[in-house]
Amino acid sequence: MTGKISHFRVLLLAVLLAATLLSCHNDAIPKDVITQNEKFTVGIDKVVEGKWVAEAKSATHLVTNYQLPANDSIPAVIRVKLAINGHDNELRPGEYHYIDLTEDTEANVIKACVADHKRSLSQKIVRPSELKLKIDLSAIKNDLNDKGFFVTPTHDTIYAENYKGVWLTADIAPLDIEAEQCPLHPELLIDEMPSSGEVSNVTINLSIPQREVSKEWNINSPNAYFPVYESPQKLMDLLHNMSIEEISKNSAQSHDNFIASQECYAIALALAYLEPEKSMQALKSMVTDSIITTSDSIETYNSLANKMIWATAAWNVYCVNGDKEWLKYSYDIIVKNLEIIENSGLLNRETGLYRATCPYNVSNINQYYPPWASVADIFETTPLVANAIMEHAYRVVELMCDEFEIANYSRKAESIKDAINHRLWEEFKGYYSQYLYGGTLNMMSPCSDNMGQALCVLWDIADDNRGETLVNEMHLSYYGIPLTYPINMSVRPEFNNAVIPMVQALWNLAAARNDNIAMLRRGIGAQIRPQALLASCDVSTSATTGAPIDI
C-alpha cells in the first residue's frame, strides 16, 4: 500500500490494555497461555507455530527461527491493461487482456484497445522471473499519425502533440499500480514516441525482493523517557519495549514522517498519550492556511472527509495536555474544514451520507472498488470509514464546545450517526456495508470494511446492540481480522485479505470495550504472532496463510 500506515505506533495501547485484562482474567486457558488455536499458540514468553518458535529471553531480547514460505504463487492467468498517457483508458471498465503464464507469452500479440474474453484466474503457479510480451499499438499509432489524434475506448481524446506514451499494468506485482501513478514508474513505460514501431517487445522483471527476517531483536535497556511496563508476561513486556523503541527512532526523524492522514490514527491511538507535544507539532504541520492537508500520494477532491480524522487526534492531544490554546487552535481548524466540506457538495442529501474516496492509499483502486467502476461511480460512493470520521469530527466539536462552555446547536453528529445506521447497516448480515454505490440507486456493497466497523464500535455509532453484534459475530480467521470481508478474490487479494496491525488493534480495543474476552484473546494473539515471529512491528499478514505481505 502506498504511504503505508505506521503500524508500530498503534500497537502500544492495545497491548497494554490486553495485557492488563488478560493478566487478571481466569478461565479454562492455562495460565502460561494467552491464546491458542489450531495454527499457533501464544504463551506468556513465546509464540509457537509448528516448528517456528519466537521466544522472549527477557523483556529486551527476542530470538526467532521463523522462515518465509519458499514459494511465491501467482495466478496462472493474469489480467493486463495498457495506460495511454498514464490513464485507465485503453479498455472499457471491466475489460482486460488475459495472459496465460503457462504458455509462450510472446506467441500471441496483445492488440491495443481490443479486449479478450474473460478467463478463470483460479489456477496458481510459481512466480516466473520475468514476463515477455509483444504488444501491437497500431490502433493508437495509426490514428495519431494519420488523424493527429486518437479517441480511446473510454472516449478520451489524445492529440499527437500531447502523446506521452503507453504504460503496462497488470494485477500482479510489480505491475499492479494505479494507472494515474504510471508516470512515477518509467520502468513500465513501453512506448513514448507516436511514430515509433507499431509492435513493442516488452520484458518485465517479475522478481520480488524477498523480505529479510530478523532472527533476533535486542536492546540494552528500555527507553526511560517513555512509560515502563512490567508484568508476569515476559512476551508482552518485550513487545511493549519493541514498540517504544520504534517510536523512539521515528521521533528523532523530521516531522515530514508525520504528514499523512494515517498518522492521525497513530496520534489518536497512542502518540497523543506518549508524546503530546510532538503530536501537537505533527498535527500543526498538516495544516496550511487553516486547511488540513496531507502528503498522501493521491490527493482527490472527495478525500476531504477522510482527512477529518485530524479532529480525533487533536482532541486526544487536548485530553492529555489540557492546553486551552491548542483547544482554541484546533477548534478553529476543525470548524473551518467542516465548513469547506459542507459547501463542497459532497453530502448526498438523499442518504445523509458524505461522498468520499477510498480511505486507504492503495496501488490499484480496483482493490477497493469493483473493476467496472468508473471515476464517476467511485465519486458517488459514500464509504463507512469516511462517514464515521465525519460523525466523530462533529462529536469532537460538541465536546470542545462543552469545554468552552458555549452552546452548540448542531445535531450533525447525531444526523450522520442515524444515516450510517439507517443506510449502511445490514440487519440480516449483522454488519455495516463498506459503502453505498450505484449513484441514485444507493446500493449496499456486499463487503464490510472492518476498520470502519471498529470505529463505529469505539465511537458509539453502533448503538442498539449493533456494537455487541459486530464484536460477537465478526469473522476472525486464525491469523486475524481481514481488512474487508467477504474477500474480493477477483482482484489482487493481498489488500482485501490483509490483517493490518492498526485495524487489528482497533478491533482489540472494540472487543475490550464490549468485555468480549474470547475475541480479545484471539485478536491479541493475531497481533502478537507476526510481531514476535518476524521480530518486527511493521508486518501485515495474509488472513488465509499468516505469511507476511506487502500491501
Side-chain angles (χ1 to χ4, degrees), residues 353-360 365-373 377-378 380-387 423-424 426 431-438 442-449 484 488 496:
L353 298 172
Y354 291 86
R355 302 177 182 92
T357 190
C358 171
Y360 314 105
I365 204 68
N366 285 342
Q367 292 173 288
Y368 197 74
Y369 299 103
W372 52 260
D377 294 323
I378 292 172
E380 289 294 334
T381 59
T382 53
L384 174 64
V385 171
N387 281 278
R423 292 288 188 166
L424 290 171
E426 290 266 24
Y431 60 70
Y432 290 103
S433 172
Q434 184 180 18
Y435 49 71
L436 296 184
Y437 71 101
N442 292 317
M443 299 180 293
M444 288 185 180
S445 166
C447 297
S448 62
D449 183 315
T484 63
N488 180 7
N496 303 277

Side-chain angles (χ1 to χ4, degrees), residues 310-463:
W310 192 96
T312 300
W315 172 250
N316 284 6
V317 169
Y318 170 72
C319 288
V320 174
N321 66 14
D323 187 332
K324 293 294 184 180
E325 291 185 7
W326 169 249
L327 181 67
K328 178 63 169 63
Y329 170 83
S330 56
Y331 174 84
D332 291 341
I333 297 299
I334 295 167
V335 170
K336 171 71 173 178
N337 283 268
L338 288 174
E339 288 176 352
I340 292 173
I341 293 173
E342 295 300 338
N343 295 326
S344 65
L346 293 177
L347 177 64
N348 183 326
R349 299 192 180 279
E350 180 182 350
T351 64
L353 298 172
Y354 291 86
R355 302 177 182 92
T357 190
C358 171
Y360 314 105
N361 283 335
V362 295
S363 59
N364 186 337
I365 204 68
N366 285 342
Q367 292 173 288
Y368 197 74
Y369 299 103
W372 52 260
S374 66
V375 174
D377 294 323
I378 292 172
F379 176 84
E380 289 294 334
T381 59
T382 53
L384 174 64
V385 171
N387 281 278
I389 290 171
M390 286 294 294
E391 190 274 350
H392 199 248
Y394 275 108
R395 196 71 69 188
V396 165
V397 171
E398 293 178 4
L399 293 170
M400 289 182 168
C401 287
D402 290 342
E403 289 294 304
F404 291 130
E405 297 183 351
I406 60 176
N408 176 27
Y409 300 102
S410 173
R411 291 192 68 256
K412 284 294 296 184
E414 199 66 27
S415 175
I416 299 170
K417 174 180 175 177
D418 291 344
I420 290 173
N421 288 323
H422 177 61
R423 292 288 188 166
L424 290 171
W425 178 254
E426 290 266 24
E427 185 65 38
F428 295 106
K429 295 180 180 179
Y431 60 70
Y432 290 103
S433 172
Q434 184 180 18
Y435 49 71
L436 296 184
Y437 71 101
T440 56
L441 298 177
N442 292 317
M443 299 180 293
M444 288 185 180
S445 166
C447 297
S448 62
D449 183 315
N450 287 327
M451 186 173 84
Q453 300 208 87
L455 294 177
C456 285
V457 173
L458 293 172
W459 292 339
D460 290 327
I461 296 171
D463 58 6

Side-chain angles (χ1 to χ4, degrees), residues 126-438:
V126 175
R127 175 185 290 273
S129 60
E130 63 181 13
L131 173 64
K132 292 186 176 182
L133 299 172
K134 289 184 180 294
I135 303 176
D136 183 356
L137 301 174
S138 58
I140 302 171
K141 297 298 188 68
N142 290 342
D143 279 4
L144 288 175
N145 292 325
D146 298 341
K147 301 178 182 179
F149 66 91
F150 173 71
V151 179
T152 73
T154 58
H155 307 295
D156 292 346
T157 299
I158 298 174
Y159 293 93
E161 61 268 25
N162 297 326
Y163 180 74
K164 300 175 182 177
V166 177
W167 282 260
L168 179 68
T169 69
D171 54 2
I172 60 169
L175 300 168
D176 56 341
I177 61 171
E178 187 74 13
E180 278 65 27
Q181 292 182 318
C182 284
L184 303 176
H185 296 270
E187 72 278 8
L188 303 182
L189 178 64
I190 62 174
D191 179 85
E192 57 183 334
M193 295 297 291
S195 59
S196 60
E198 295 177 351
V199 176
S200 296
N201 295 292
V202 179
T203 300
I204 300 293
N205 181 11
L206 294 183
S207 300
I208 302 296
Q210 188 81 327
R211 176 193 284 266
E212 293 186 5
V213 179
S214 300
K215 297 301 181 183
E216 188 175 26
W217 181 85
N218 194 13
I219 57 173
N220 292 328
S221 61
N223 190 324
Y225 173 79
F226 294 97
V228 175
Y229 178 76
E230 294 180 348
S231 74
Q233 302 153 333
K234 191 187 303 181
L235 184 59
M236 284 292 195
D237 297 355
L238 181 137
L239 297 183
H240 167 84
N241 292 331
M242 184 184 291
S243 299
I244 288 294
E245 186 68 13
E246 287 295 312
I247 293 173
S248 302
K249 291 178 181 178
N250 284 269
S251 294
Q253 298 176 6
S254 71
H255 290 301
D256 290 342
N257 295 294
F258 289 100
I259 308 177
S261 57
Q262 276 82 5
E263 296 297 339
C264 291
Y265 289 99
I267 293 173
L269 281 168
L271 289 183
Y273 306 93
L274 293 172
E275 294 190 294
E277 291 305 312
K278 288 188 177 180
S279 296
M280 189 166 61
Q281 294 170 22
L283 291 171
K284 285 183 176 180
S285 72
M286 299 178 194
V287 177
T288 303
D289 296 328
S290 298
I291 307 300
I292 300 170
T293 60
T294 74
S295 62
D296 295 347
S297 59
I298 303 177
E299 288 281 352
T300 59
Y301 169 67
N302 58 336
S303 64
L304 296 174
N306 291 316
K307 298 177 185 179
M308 292 311 300
I309 190 63
W310 192 96
T312 300
W315 172 250
N316 284 6
V317 169
Y318 170 72
C319 288
V320 174
N321 66 14
D323 187 332
K324 293 294 184 180
E325 291 185 7
W326 169 249
L327 181 67
K328 178 63 169 63
Y329 170 83
S330 56
Y331 174 84
D332 291 341
I333 297 299
I334 295 167
V335 170
K336 171 71 173 178
N337 283 268
L338 288 174
E339 288 176 352
I340 292 173
I341 293 173
E342 295 300 338
N343 295 326
S344 65
L346 293 177
L347 177 64
N348 183 326
R349 299 192 180 279
E350 180 182 350
T351 64
L353 298 172
Y354 291 86
R355 302 177 182 92
T357 190
C358 171
Y360 314 105
N361 283 335
V362 295
S363 59
N364 186 337
I365 204 68
N366 285 342
Q367 292 173 288
Y368 197 74
Y369 299 103
W372 52 260
S374 66
V375 174
D377 294 323
I378 292 172
F379 176 84
E380 289 294 334
T381 59
T382 53
L384 174 64
V385 171
N387 281 278
I389 290 171
M390 286 294 294
E391 190 274 350
H392 199 248
Y394 275 108
R395 196 71 69 188
V396 165
V397 171
E398 293 178 4
L399 293 170
M400 289 182 168
C401 287
D402 290 342
E403 289 294 304
F404 291 130
E405 297 183 351
I406 60 176
N408 176 27
Y409 300 102
S410 173
R411 291 192 68 256
K412 284 294 296 184
E414 199 66 27
S415 175
I416 299 170
K417 174 180 175 177
D418 291 344
I420 290 173
N421 288 323
H422 177 61
R423 292 288 188 166
L424 290 171
W425 178 254
E426 290 266 24
E427 185 65 38
F428 295 106
K429 295 180 180 179
Y431 60 70
Y432 290 103
S433 172
Q434 184 180 18
Y435 49 71
L436 296 184
Y437 71 101

